[in-house]
Amino acid sequence: MKLLLLNPNTSTDVTHLMMGVGQRAAASGTELVPCTATRGVPYIATRTEAQIGGAIALEMLAERHTKVDAAIIAAFGDPGVFAARETFDIPVVGMAEAAMLTACMAGRRFAIVTFAQALGPWYEECVRDHGLWERCAGIRMLDAPFQAISEVGTEKEDLLVALAQRAIVEDEADVLIFAGAPLSGLAERVADRIPVPVVDQVVAAVKQAEALVALRLRKATAGTFRRPAAKPTIGLADALAARLEHRDS
Amino acid sequence: MKLLLLNPNTSTDVTHLMMGVGQRAAASGTELVPCTATRGVPYIATRTEAQIGGAIALEMLAERHTKVDAAIIAAFGDPGVFAARETFDIPVVGMAEAAMLTACMAGRRFAIVTFAQALGPWYEECVRDHGLWERCAGIRMLDAPFQAISEVGTEKEDLLVALAQRAIVEDEADVLIFAGAPLSGLAERVADRIPVPVVDQVVAAVKQAEALVALRLRKATAGTFRRPAAKPTIGLADALAARLEHRDS
Amino acid sequence: MKLLLLNPNTSTDVTHLMMGVGQRAAASGTELVPCTATRGVPYIATRTEAQIGGAIALEMLAERHTKVDAAIIAAFGDPGVFAARETFDIPVVGMAEAAMLTACMAGRRFAIVTFAQALGPWYEECVRDHGLWERCAGIRMLDAPFQAISEVGTEKEDLLVALAQRAIVEDEADVLIFAGAPLSGLAERVADRIPVPVVDQVVAAVKQAEALVALRLRKATAGTFRRPAAKPTIGLADALAARLEHRDS
Amino acid sequence: MKLLLLNPNTSTDVTHLMMGVGQRAAASGTELVPCTATRGVPYIATRTEAQIGGAIALEMLAERHTKVDAAIIAAFGDPGVFAARETFDIPVVGMAEAAMLTACMAGRRFAIVTFAQALGPWYEECVRDHGLWERCAGIRMLDAPFQAISEVGTEKEDLLVALAQRAIVEDEADVLIFAGAPLSGLAERVADRIPVPVVDQVVAAVKQAEALVALRLRKATAGTFRRPAAKPTIGLADALAARLEHRDS
Amino acid sequence: MKLLLLNPNTSTDVTHLMMGVGQRAAASGTELVPCTATRGVPYIATRTEAQIGGAIALEMLAERHTKVDAAIIAAFGDPGVFAARETFDIPVVGMAEAAMLTACMAGRRFAIVTFAQALGPWYEECVRDHGLWERCAGIRMLDAPFQAISEVGTEKEDLLVALAQRAIVEDEADVLIFAGAPLSGLAERVADRIPVPVVDQVVAAVKQAEALVALRLRKATAGTFRRPAAKPTIGLADALAARLEHRDS
Amino acid sequence: MKLLLLNPNTSTDVTHLMMGVGQRAAASGTELVPCTATRGVPYIATRTEAQIGGAIALEMLAERHTKVDAAIIAAFGDPGVFAARETFDIPVVGMAEAAMLTACMAGRRFAIVTFAQALGPWYEECVRDHGLWERCAGIRMLDAPFQAISEVGTEKEDLLVALAQRAIVEDEADVLIFAGAPLSGLAERVADRIPVPVVDQVVAAVKQAEALVALRLRKATAGTFRRPAAKPTIGLADALAARLEHRDS
């Protein structure tokens, strides 16, 4: 099967990082197809960037959805995931969603640890949007500048581990999630320094996308995720406009 | 004071309709400044259209925010409102938010009545995003095609009143909101046929924007609605890019 | 329009303070009509005082409701507001309710800061009664005696600002409300020392009452806020008894 | 032990009815002391009447609290119960509270069935105030006039049983509560026609008051139910004023 | 009346301790009948032990339920209580349930204080299972080894009081519960060192069981606590198997 | 990898049915190892049977956990799953949990459809225990006797499909789950008659167990799912006793 690893950020280095982690975890027979946003911001971190980045994710999906079996919105925070699930026929999974739902099977409450203060409010809204706030022990963020976005996981490794350890003790977390695309792969490197299970967001997303494909779920034609009726559009990216106007099928 | 009445849809007829209702309700000294999206869809009705429309609303605000005292996102569902509140310095109010919060002062639970089935799931998510689900008695939608979007309130007037009456009896609503920009002004026409207070979404939005200006609220420099730090962008609309990159001040 | 500024406490100094703040914020054409309780306590601070003060507020409204267009229950905690909304035909808004709902349009979570420990539990119940606990970042109270109730806002200004600053940092508040009638006007004086928007309770209440009048809401004849049926009474204040027995219309 | 059966309504017939039911259920050694409001309304049914009736209940308690070991606020809806618990030293239990908490030990969800449409909204707020909404299967009300308030339980017996049966089937209730002082004693008469346990409100209140006395609970001097500090009052009933001003001890 | 005091743990010393406390609080005419598990663990402290202990409690009840008027599951955490209530005809009350529901009548929020770290997560799940988390101020646990389980209340008395005092100040508790069967009787000894009401779990359980018997509640034949239909079993304890197969009646 | 498919019921036919469905969905390299309870009931359907069946599941796991990489509690309702996750070192996933969490990635709200009235209350408690009630559109049950438990899915196929269709229309479900081990495999047979995605519980459980193994999660040594300390036991099954007493490692 082919899984689109859709990075709605413009950082190809981060896409590369996630591809490495994801491909190692994929089942034999699963091919990850990377794509990186060509417009937007290097890494989405605020409500505003998520609003824009989610729309860009839809443009990217509109161009590629027919060529893959499922797609991963590969930014923690899941910009555009509910819209994508509504508009396209293939399964679409958010990286935050995949990590959180998987974490639920490894304990009662998961903690989220990330590398920048700015990400906290957006992540909190993401947890709430998925109805999982009750299962979240808390969100903890580093508060210091970093060098390169794609290497923040290496640069801040010790600080992130320390933050994780505090989340476990002070927030009573049973499971840990390192959140934010640049932290992909960190779980594996530091698992033995953290006394609870650590869920890697990319691995979780790949396995969940594989699960959805294995279930051979049909596209809804009823309920709130049926494809919206055709509607005229003005000034939108070509493939997305075609999809919304039902000119693509 | 000047209030931007920002219609993130492309229907100028609907903008015109809202301007009429809004201007009649405005205080002396309040000037409504209309603007209508030049790209997007005629009327936002789904998660996908809200994702895109919210991003378009940000583009529109980026061009005009320095010329007004506050802005109204004049689409029930409030596409982009939290992002706008974060990124711009002026008060920004959503039309759904204004109607719902106002309705809270007229009863325990408000019902939302609208003209199209497709709007229901999006509106429900909007109510939940504002943390007001507990105050919502229910959402009821007509389920029949209509002629022209800007005249659906006239065409379906009797059916909408009947739906409102059912919401009051069956859902135990204390207050009623006719939701969706094309229904602006309907409240006034049918108030005497509905046995509970009816809140007009445009009137509520204008009065709430006036209230926020009267309070002379400062832009947050702390909390989750402080302006995000500057960040490089690629391929975004000029004014919005300038705002995100802090090249505008 | 005429708005009744109903102080259910017996402190005329505090009424005077609120009148000054409120009148400055009122639209041209809005006249505030003050009234102060002639029985009760100097300032309501507990469940017991709210139970009694709410009943007194109803007596006061029964005497004056026909002479004004709307009424403000001008005590944070809103004693009697739901009962008043049920029994009288004019819009009635609580000062806490107005401040909190307005604050919701300026951020995700508001903090409440007040001048006395005793007020905390009552305020918490008030926030919950309005269904807004999810939007409340927390309630913080000073814990020291003060000189005169009507001047506590001046006497404790620096301590209150410090408490507000802590609420923002430690409770992650986006908006601030100084709560308690004696703190009216404080927002304006200290806004530039507090890094988030500060909502003044009296200004909010005046603007919300103006909004409700502008909406020309009808009195409910259905739902849970319709006027209760006539019922015989014994030993109640004359005007209130007349209202409850439907002898007044 | 002596238990005050405090009827905040003016209907002595209803007090008499409750005394009969309560005394039969009391342990040997428990004496019920009746008192009936001498001002107020025949039966509290709305937010307004509860606001006033709760204040009257406080006046009544202020006159009698030193002569009994505990008190029952003997109106379903519990007017004034939290205020009373705060201001007086003896245990005070609400009749609704007692019935609902007891019902929780007999099933997952209890249904409330009562005799008048007007009572529904007030009862719902009461259930929510006690934090028990999740345990409530629903509230059902008859909707027809009745002859004498103290005999409504006999007059409508068959209709009330039918309503109870519907609540069990349609609302999935595990336990039933006939609510409203005039329905005291109904449980015993109809228990064999209802297929789930039926909790009598007066019996529950008497047994819960006995339990609280048996526990020999001290009056709180910390927490939110410690006695409020002394405060000057104007124009309140003598005994209540003395209690609030700490002139009584 | 006869009340079964069913200790699902194997510690007869703890049964003895609870019998002493319970018998002193029982009404004249109430006889407590003790029974102690003959298989299982000395004291249940985890989800696993509760899963097993709850099944053992059912075996114990199956042997004795016809000889008593009601039963108390005398382990805080209430292993098996919902199952027991479903399968047997007599009232069954959990010790945690009884303590918490009683505490609700003495304040807004109760704190739970116990003697071992391991008990916290199980107790939290118990509070949530009863739908009372909103009424719980927090759970605090000692974190040190102890000598004998039946004497931990004496050994750690001062530490437990100190923990209770912290819960009141830091968690804003109105009522206190010492939780865990070995702490039975502690409330009485230390009540004067704790500034809020302290509910003894055994006393509460005895009084609540007496209340349920006094209400003469019938066994449900509808709702979710009706007796399950007969079903064949393999390898279960004799009396329990007979009960499940309806061979016992 | 080896996955234990643990049926805590005594119906080997149902185990056989699940093995067929599960093995077809398993990745190459995944081997399902079946085991069926040798004591208990044919199919768990009530709180009581879940209490007992969960304890039996622990006994079964104690005997086999070292020989597999992960385990599935293969009864919808997940008896014993939290206890198992606490006590054993391998990942353990419940069949209901797996189905529900997977369904969350295919829509906003899932409906649960099952074959017997008795299962409803237990399933509701299961959904709540997992904190997913907000994501559940409702639970619908057939209400008629059936022939053989392992063939109820075939016998009632049309009725179950009709019930599913009603859940989608009336409960606004986005996703459907046929719940109860005997309905395994039904999803595939009827997917084209149901207009939303249908999640098969066994397929979901197998894929989720594979995902947890792929994540190589460590056993917690902190948090609430660390292995409980050793404790003496009496009269428990040998392997389980050894595990609880730490005699097994």
Side-chain angles (χ1 to χ4, degrees):
Chain A
M1 81 182 70
K2 289 187 178 183
L3 303 181
L4 187 68
L5 190 139
L6 186 164
N7 182 1
N9 297 297
T10 60
S11 315
T12 49
D13 282 2
V14 175
T15 311
H16 189 74
L17 171 65
M18 291 191 286
M19 282 297 290
V21 175
Q23 200 63 67
R24 281 198 299 280
S28 67
T30 297
E31 178 193 349
L32 294 189
V33 180
C35 70
T36 307
T38 54
R39 66 186 197 95
V41 297
Y43 72 104
I44 297 172
T46 67
R47 297 176 183 99
T48 299
E49 293 158 6
Q51 181 77 52
I52 297 166
I56 290 169
L58 297 176
E59 297 174 3
M60 296 165 72
L61 262 170
E63 287 173 359
R64 292 166 183 86
H65 70 105
T66 58
K67 297 167 200 141
V68 292
D69 298 291
I72 295 164
I73 307 265
F76 203 93
D78 303 347
V81 73
F82 298 117
R85 190 168 286 156
E86 173 187 86
T87 286
F88 300 100
D89 296 348
I90 54 170
V92 182
V93 68
M95 199 158 73
E97 177 184 52
M100 294 190 292
L101 294 171
T102 306
C104 286
M105 288 176 283
R108 166 62 43 186
R109 281 194 287 249
F110 54 82
I112 292 174
V113 167
T114 189
F115 61 94
Q117 206 69 20
L119 293 156
W122 177 39
Y123 285 179
E124 178 177 336
E125 292 186 4
C126 172
V127 180
R128 292 186 185 276
D129 285 350
H130 287 288
L132 294 170
W133 189 247
E134 190 188 326
R135 302 290 299 260
C136 181
I139 302 172
R140 288 178 175 254
M141 302 89 80
L142 289 186
D143 192 15
F146 51 84
Q147 310 272 328
I149 181 68
S150 66
E151 306 193 9
V152 65
T154 326
E155 181 192 342
K156 305 285 188 189
E157 187 171 302
D158 289 349
L159 291 171
L160 288 161
V161 168
L163 209 53
Q165 289 164 339
R166 284 187 54 196
I168 293 161
V169 173
E170 296 175 21
D171 303 339
E172 301 184 320
D174 294 320
V175 193
L176 201 103
I177 299 170
F178 286 115
L183 301 190
S184 301
L186 178 61
E188 187 174 8
R189 290 205 305 280
V190 303
D192 58 2
R193 296 160 65 190
I194 294 176
V196 301
V198 185
V199 171
D200 188 279
Q201 57 196 347
V202 170
V203 177
V206 168
K207 301 320 283 184
Q208 293 302 348
E210 288 177 349
L212 293 176
V213 173
L215 281 158
R216 286 186 285 174
L217 304 176
R218 58 165 298 168
K219 170 66 182 178
T221 57
T224 79
F225 283 90
R226 68 187 180 282
R227 184 177 178 188
K231 193 174 284 188
T233 70
I234 303 174
L236 302 188
D238 287 351
L240 182 55
R243 182 76 190 160
L244 297 184
E245 300 180 16
H246 288 211
R247 285 187 286 107
D248 68 329
S249 51
Chain B
M1 81 182 69
K2 289 187 176 181
L3 304 181
L4 188 67
L5 190 140
L6 185 164
N7 183 1
N9 297 298
T10 59
S11 316
T12 51
D13 282 1
V14 175
T15 312
H16 189 73
L17 172 64
M18 291 192 285
M19 282 296 290
V21 175
Q23 199 64 65
R24 281 198 299 282
S28 68
T30 297
E31 181 192 347
L32 295 189
V33 179
C35 71
T36 307
T38 53
R39 66 187 198 93
V41 295
Y43 70 105
I44 298 171
T46 66
R47 297 176 184 97
T48 299
E49 292 158 8
Q51 181 78 50
I52 298 166
I56 291 170
L58 296 176
E59 296 174 4
M60 295 166 74
L61 263 170
E63 287 174 0
R64 292 165 183 87
H65 70 104
T66 58
K67 297 167 200 142
V68 292
D69 298 291
I72 294 164
I73 307 264
F76 204 93
D78 303 348
V81 73
F82 299 118
R85 190 168 286 156
E86 173 187 86
T87 286
F88 300 100
D89 297 347
I90 55 171
V92 181
V93 66
M95 199 158 73
E97 176 185 50
M100 293 189 293
L101 294 172
T102 305
C104 286
M105 288 176 282
R108 165 64 40 189
R109 281 194 286 248
F110 54 82
I112 291 175
V113 167
T114 190
F115 61 95
Q117 206 69 20
L119 293 157
W122 178 38
Y123 285 0
E124 177 176 336
E125 292 186 4
C126 171
V127 180
R128 290 186 186 278
D129 284 350
H130 288 288
L132 294 170
W133 189 247
E134 189 189 328
R135 301 292 298 261
C136 181
I139 302 174
R140 287 179 176 253
M141 301 88 81
L142 289 186
D143 192 14
F146 51 84
Q147 310 272 329
I149 180 68
S150 66
E151 305 193 9
V152 65
T154 325
E155 181 192 342
K156 304 285 189 189
E157 188 171 301
D158 289 350
L159 291 171
L160 289 162
V161 168
L163 209 53
Q165 288 164 340
R166 284 187 54 196
I168 293 162
V169 173
E170 296 175 20
D171 303 340
E172 302 184 320
D174 294 318
V175 193
L176 201 104
I177 298 171
F178 286 115
L183 301 190
S184 300
L186 178 61
E188 188 175 6
R189 288 205 306 281
V190 303
D192 57 2
R193 297 161 64 190
I194 294 175
V196 300
V198 185
V199 171
D200 188 280
Q201 57 195 347
V202 170
V203 177
V206 168
K207 301 320 282 184
Q208 293 302 347
E210 288 178 349
L212 293 176
V213 174
L215 280 158
R216 287 186 285 175
L217 304 176
R218 60 165 298 167
K219 171 65 183 179
T221 57
T224 79
F225 284 90
R226 68 185 180 284
R227 184 177 178 188
K231 193 175 284 188
T233 72
I234 302 175
L236 303 188
D238 288 350
L240 182 56
R243 181 76 191 161
L244 298 184
E245 299 180 16
H246 289 214
R247 285 187 285 108
D248 68 329
S249 52
Chain C
M1 83 181 67
K2 288 187 178 184
L3 304 181
L4 187 68
L5 191 140
L6 185 164
N7 183 0
N9 298 297
T10 59
S11 315
T12 51
D13 282 1
V14 175
T15 311
H16 189 73
L17 171 65
M18 291 192 285
M19 282 296 290
V21 175
Q23 199 64 65
R24 281 199 299 281
S28 68
T30 297
E31 179 193 348
L32 295 189
V33 179
C35 71
T36 306
T38 53
R39 65 188 198 94
V41 296
Y43 71 104
I44 298 171
T46 67
R47 297 176 184 98
T48 299
E49 293 158 7
Q51 181 78 50
I52 297 166
I56 291 170
L58 296 175
E59 296 174 3
M60 295 166 72
L61 262 169
E63 287 175 359
R64 292 166 182 86
H65 70 103
T66 59
K67 297 168 200 141
V68 292
D69 297 292
I72 295 164
I73 306 265
F76 204 93
D78 303 348
V81 73
F82 298 118
R85 190 167 285 156
E86 174 187 84
T87 286
F88 299 100
D89 296 348
I90 55 170
V92 181
V93 67
M95 199 157 73
E97 177 184 51
M100 293 189 293
L101 293 172
T102 305
C104 285
M105 288 176 282
R108 166 64 39 189
R109 281 194 286 248
F110 54 82
I112 292 174
V113 167
T114 189
F115 61 94
Q117 206 68 20
L119 292 156
W122 178 39
Y123 285 0
E124 178 176 336
E125 292 186 3
C126 172
V127 180
R128 291 186 186 277
D129 284 350
H130 288 287
L132 294 170
W133 189 247
E134 190 188 326
R135 302 290 299 260
C136 180
I139 302 173
R140 287 178 176 254
M141 302 88 81
L142 289 186
D143 192 15
F146 51 84
Q147 310 272 328
I149 180 69
S150 66
E151 304 192 10
V152 65
T154 326
E155 181 192 342
K156 304 285 190 190
E157 187 171 301
D158 288 351
L159 291 171
L160 289 161
V161 167
L163 209 53
Q165 288 164 340
R166 284 187 54 195
I168 294 162
V169 173
E170 296 176 20
D171 303 339
E172 301 183 321
D174 294 318
V175 194
L176 202 104
I177 298 171
F178 287 115
L183 301 190
S184 301
L186 178 61
E188 189 175 5
R189 289 204 306 281
V190 303
D192 57 2
R193 297 159 65 190
I194 294 175
V196 300
V198 186
V199 171
D200 188 279
Q201 57 196 347
V202 170
V203 177
V206 168
K207 302 319 283 184
Q208 293 302 348
E210 287 178 349
L212 293 176
V213 174
L215 281 157
R216 287 187 284 176
L217 304 176
R218 60 164 298 168
K219 170 64 183 179
T221 57
T224 78
F225 284 89
R226 68 184 180 283
R227 184 177 178 188
K231 193 174 283 189
T233 70
I234 302 175
L236 302 188
D238 287 350
L240 182 56
R243 182 75 190 161
L244 297 184
E245 299 180 16
H246 288 213
R247 284 188 287 107
D248 68 328
S249 52
Chain D
M1 80 182 69
K2 289 187 177 183
L3 303 181
L4 187 68
L5 190 140
L6 185 163
N7 182 0
N9 297 298
T10 59
S11 316
T12 49
D13 282 1
V14 175
T15 311
H16 189 73
L17 171 65
M18 291 192 285
M19 282 296 291
V21 175
Q23 199 64 64
R24 281 198 299 280
S28 67
T30 297
E31 178 192 350
L32 295 189
V33 179
C35 70
T36 306
T38 53
R39 65 187 198 92
V41 296
Y43 71 103
I44 297 172
T46 67
R47 297 175 184 100
T48 300
E49 293 158 7
Q51 183 77 51
I52 297 165
I56 290 170
L58 297 176
E59 296 174 3
M60 295 166 73
L61 263 170
E63 287 174 0
R64 293 165 183 86
H65 70 103
T66 58
K67 297 166 200 142
V68 292
D69 297 292
I72 294 164
I73 307 264
F76 204 93
D78 302 349
V81 73
F82 299 117
R85 190 167 287 156
E86 174 187 85
T87 286
F88 300 100
D89 296 349
I90 54 170
V92 182
V93 67
M95 199 159 72
E97 176 184 52
M100 293 189 293
L101 294 171
T102 305
C104 286
M105 288 177 283
R108 166 62 42 187
R109 281 193 287 250
F110 54 82
I112 292 175
V113 167
T114 189
F115 62 94
Q117 206 68 21
L119 292 158
W122 176 39
Y123 285 179
E124 178 177 336
E125 293 186 4
C126 172
V127 180
R128 291 186 186 277
D129 284 350
H130 288 288
L132 294 171
W133 189 247
E134 190 188 326
R135 301 291 298 261
C136 180
I139 302 174
R140 288 179 175 253
M141 302 87 82
L142 289 186
D143 193 16
F146 51 84
Q147 311 271 330
I149 181 68
S150 66
E151 306 193 8
V152 65
T154 326
E155 181 193 343
K156 306 284 189 189
E157 187 171 302
D158 288 350
L159 291 172
L160 288 161
V161 167
L163 209 53
Q165 288 164 340
R166 284 187 54 195
I168 293 161
V169 173
E170 296 175 22
D171 303 339
E172 300 184 321
D174 294 319
V175 193
L176 201 103
I177 299 170
F178 287 115
L183 301 189
S184 301
L186 178 60
E188 188 175 7
R189 289 204 305 280
V190 302
D192 57 2
R193 297 160 64 191
I194 294 176
V196 300
V198 186
V199 172
D200 188 279
Q201 55 196 347
V202 170
V203 177
V206 167
K207 302 319 283 184
Q208 293 302 347
E210 288 177 349
L212 294 176
V213 173
L215 280 157
R216 286 187 284 175
L217 304 176
R218 59 164 299 168
K219 170 65 183 178
T221 57
T224 79
F225 283 90
R226 68 185 180 283
R227 184 177 177 188
K231 193 175 285 189
T233 70
I234 302 175
L236 302 187
D238 287 350
L240 182 56
R243 182 75 191 161
L244 298 184
E245 299 180 18
H246 288 212
R247 284 187 286 109
D248 68 328
S249 51
Chain E
M1 80 182 68
K2 289 187 177 181
L3 304 181
L4 186 68
L5 191 138
L6 184 164
N7 183 2
N9 297 297
T10 59
S11 317
T12 51
D13 282 1
V14 175
T15 311
H16 189 73
L17 171 64
M18 291 192 285
M19 282 296 290
V21 175
Q23 199 63 65
R24 281 198 299 280
S28 68
T30 297
E31 178 192 349
L32 295 188
V33 180
C35 70
T36 306
T38 53
R39 65 187 198 94
V41 296
Y43 70 105
I44 298 172
T46 68
R47 297 176 184 97
T48 299
E49 292 158 7
Q51 182 76 52
I52 298 165
I56 291 169
L58 296 175
E59 296 174 3
M60 295 165 73
L61 262 170
E63 287 174 359
R64 293 166 182 87
H65 69 104
T66 58
K67 297 168 199 140
V68 291
D69 298 290
I72 295 164
I73 307 264
F76 204 92
D78 302 349
V81 73
F82 299 118
R85 189 168 286 156
E86 174 186 85
T87 286
F88 299 99
D89 296 347
I90 55 170
V92 181
V93 67
M95 199 158 73
E97 175 184 54
M100 294 190 292
L101 294 171
T102 305
C104 285
M105 288 177 282
R108 165 64 40 188
R109 281 193 287 248
F110 54 82
I112 292 174
V113 167
T114 190
F115 61 95
Q117 206 68 21
L119 292 157
W122 177 40
Y123 285 180
E124 177 176 336
E125 292 186 4
C126 172
V127 180
R128 291 185 185 278
D129 284 350
H130 288 288
L132 294 170
W133 190 246
E134 190 188 327
R135 302 290 299 261
C136 180
I139 302 173
R140 287 178 175 255
M141 301 87 83
L142 288 186
D143 193 15
F146 51 86
Q147 311 272 328
I149 181 66
S150 67
E151 305 193 10
V152 65
T154 326
E155 181 192 343
K156 304 285 189 188
E157 187 172 301
D158 288 350
L159 291 172
L160 288 162
V161 168
L163 209 53
Q165 288 164 340
R166 284 187 55 195
I168 293 162
V169 173
E170 296 176 21
D171 303 340
E172 302 183 320
D174 295 318
V175 193
L176 202 103
I177 298 169
F178 287 115
L183 301 190
S184 300
L186 178 60
E188 187 175 8
R189 289 204 306 281
V190 302
D192 57 2
R193 296 160 65 189
I194 294 176
V196 300
V198 186
V199 171
D200 189 280
Q201 58 197 346
V202 170
V203 177
V206 168
K207 302 319 283 184
Q208 293 303 347
E210 287 178 349
L212 294 176
V213 173
L215 280 157
R216 286 185 286 174
L217 303 176
R218 60 166 296 167
K219 171 65 182 178
T221 57
T224 78
F225 284 90
R226 67 186 179 283
R227 184 177 178 188
K231 194 175 281 188
T233 69
I234 303 174
L236 303 188
D238 288 349
L240 182 56
R243 182 76 190 160
L244 297 184
E245 299 179 18
H246 289 212
R247 284 187 285 107
D248 67 329
S249 51
Chain F
M1 81 182 68
K2 289 188 177 182
L3 304 182
L4 187 69
L5 191 139
L6 185 164
N7 182 1
N9 297 297
T10 58
S11 317
T12 50
D13 282 0
V14 176
T15 311
H16 189 73
L17 171 65
M18 291 192 285
M19 282 297 290
V21 176
Q23 198 64 64
R24 282 197 299 280
S28 68
T30 297
E31 179 193 348
L32 295 189
V33 180
C35 70
T36 307
T38 53
R39 65 186 198 93
V41 296
Y43 71 105
I44 298 172
T46 67
R47 297 176 183 98
T48 300
E49 292 157 8
Q51 182 77 50
I52 297 165
I56 291 169
L58 296 175
E59 296 174 3
M60 295 166 73
L61 263 170
E63 287 174 359
R64 293 165 182 87
H65 69 104
T66 58
K67 297 167 200 142
V68 292
D69 299 291
I72 295 164
I73 307 264
F76 204 92
D78 301 350
V81 73
F82 299 118
R85 190 167 287 156
E86 174 187 85
T87 286
F88 299 99
D89 296 348
I90 55 169
V92 181
V93 67
M95 200 158 73
E97 174 184 53
M100 293 190 292
L101 294 171
T102 305
C104 285
M105 288 177 282
R108 165 63 41 188
R109 280 193 287 249
F110 54 82
I112 292 174
V113 167
T114 189
F115 62 94
Q117 206 68 20
L119 292 157
W122 177 39
Y123 284 0
E124 178 177 336
E125 292 186 4
C126 172
V127 180
R128 291 185 185 278
D129 284 350
H130 287 288
L132 294 171
W133 189 248
E134 190 188 327
R135 301 291 298 261
C136 181
I139 302 173
R140 288 179 175 254
M141 302 87 83
L142 289 186
D143 192 16
F146 51 84
Q147 311 272 329
I149 181 67
S150 67
E151 306 194 8
V152 65
T154 325
E155 180 192 344
K156 305 284 189 189
E157 187 171 300
D158 289 349
L159 291 171
L160 289 162
V161 168
L163 208 53
Q165 289 164 341
R166 284 187 55 194
I168 293 161
V169 173
E170 296 175 20
D171 302 340
E172 302 183 320
D174 294 318
V175 193
L176 202 104
I177 298 170
F178 287 114
L183 301 190
S184 301
L186 177 61
E188 188 175 8
R189 290 204 305 281
V190 302
D192 57 3
R193 297 160 65 191
I194 295 176
V196 301
V198 186
V199 171
D200 188 279
Q201 58 196 346
V202 169
V203 177
V206 168
K207 302 320 282 185
Q208 294 303 347
E210 288 178 348
L212 293 176
V213 173
L215 281 157
R216 285 185 286 174
L217 303 176
R218 60 166 297 168
K219 171 65 182 177
T221 57
T224 78
F225 284 90
R226 68 185 179 283
R227 184 177 178 188
K231 192 175 285 189
T233 70
I234 303 174
L236 302 187
D238 288 351
L240 182 56
R243 182 75 190 160
L244 298 185
E245 299 180 17
H246 289 213
R247 284 188 286 108
D248 67 329
S249 52

